[in-house]
Amino acid sequence: MEVKDFKIQWFPGHMTKARRMMEEHLRLVDVVVELLDARIPGSSINPMLRQMAGSKPRVIALNKADMADPVKTEAWLYRLKREGIPVCSVDCHTGKGVKQMLNLVKEAAKPITDKWLKKGVKNHDIRLMIVGVPNVGKSTLINRLVGRVKAIASDRPGVTKQKQWVTIAKGLELLDTPGVLWPKFENPEIGLHLALTGAVKDDVYDRRDALHLLLQELQVKYPQQLAMFYNITLSPEDTAETIMEKIGTARGCVKAGGVIDLNKVEQMVLYEFKTAKIGRFTLDEP
């Protein structure tokens, strides 16, 4: 199977409502924080959100950096910085990089706060909006910023469905919004990468096709890590099917009669990839 044959579209009704809500409230926001998945920085860029943000000051944070290839993360940071965008990497679970992100937000908002100071307003809160695709870690980041469970966090896409204003620190107020995808993925690889990292619900794409394409990609980009984790030997002639059979044999996923339980292999590998148990991989090339 080729990537071009992987078809996926998912745009629930609540996302249309969320998009309209963001358009309405964006005028109240000083800075937009665009949260991207460090494993797929390119694929997790939502062109619709960027269009809505317009000329608003913007900061990019690459979340889940602890699950991504550190070398490629540095390359992505370098590329984005060269484009003139304030950017940092963060790990919302440990809080690493969050302080740097807030400093970038304050720096991006400085022209606005300076304008208020000239008007004699000294305590004008900086209002920011965190945007991103579903399951990129927005709620976890907000929980980290607030210091308590203020927003609902889940590893399932589409959990946050309503607007929330949250005070995250003195002088900083945040508008939490649901994760939003866009109506059509022009590039099938983007849809694939979003599906593999959990931005899209499992029941709207063919999981077996997604696994085949993932194994093909890992065989090219990370063959040693894949072989080492599953204790298998890979060869250039291997297909996704033969790799699945090797993994099934190595992990004991065998049904009666010695037949490999491919469904069990599928569930296991997709889960172990999403949770970074296999290793730290970045699918998007900088």
Side-chain angles (χ1 to χ4, degrees), residues 106 123-126 167-173:
K106 292 175 183 177
N123 298 315
H124 175 70
D125 287 349
I126 299 171
T167 299
I168 57 175
K170 184 179 180 180
L172 284 175
E173 196 172 28

Side-chain angles (χ1 to χ4, degrees), residues 2 8 38 94 116 122 125 171 174 192 197 199 218 238 255 275 286:
E2 297 182 21
I8 182 171
T94 65
W116 282 105
K122 296 182 179 180
D125 287 349
L174 180 144
L192 171 66
T197 52
L218 294 182
D238 271 322
K255 297 187 288 188
T275 54

Side-chain angles (χ1 to χ4, degrees), residues 73-115:
T73 296
E74 287 300 316
W76 270 102
L77 290 172
Y78 178 74
R79 170 184 164 175
L80 292 167
K81 286 176 183 176
R82 285 190 57 130
E83 293 177 5
I85 306 170
V87 60
C88 64
S89 63
V90 298
D91 176 359
C92 294
H93 287 287
T94 65
K96 184 178 180 180
V98 172
K99 185 177 180 180
Q100 181 187 3
M101 184 197 76
L102 292 179
N103 288 335
L104 291 177
V105 168
K106 292 175 183 177
E107 188 176 331
K110 196 172 185 305
I112 297 168
T113 54
D114 286 347
K115 185 174 73 172

Side-chain angles (χ1 to χ4, degrees), residues 13-57:
H14 76 263
M15 289 192 180
T16 302
K17 183 179 178 181
R19 179 180 62 182
R20 291 171 182 165
M21 180 272 294
M22 281 190 286
E23 288 174 339
E24 292 170 1
H25 290 86
L26 198 57
R27 61 185 179 83
L28 304 175
V29 175
D30 300 314
V31 180
V32 175
V33 176
E34 184 177 17
L35 202 59
L36 303 181
D37 190 323
R39 298 169 296 175
I40 54 167
S43 297
S44 54
I45 292 173
N46 188 331
M48 185 177 69
L49 290 174
R50 288 196 166 184
Q51 183 180 18
M52 284 192 293
S55 59
K56 290 276 183 183

Side-chain angles (χ1 to χ4, degrees), residues 224-237:
Q224 293 181 336
Q225 294 93 317
L226 180 63
M228 186 178 300
F229 181 78
Y230 288 110
N231 194 26
I232 60 176
T233 301
L234 293 177
S235 68
E237 293 75 28

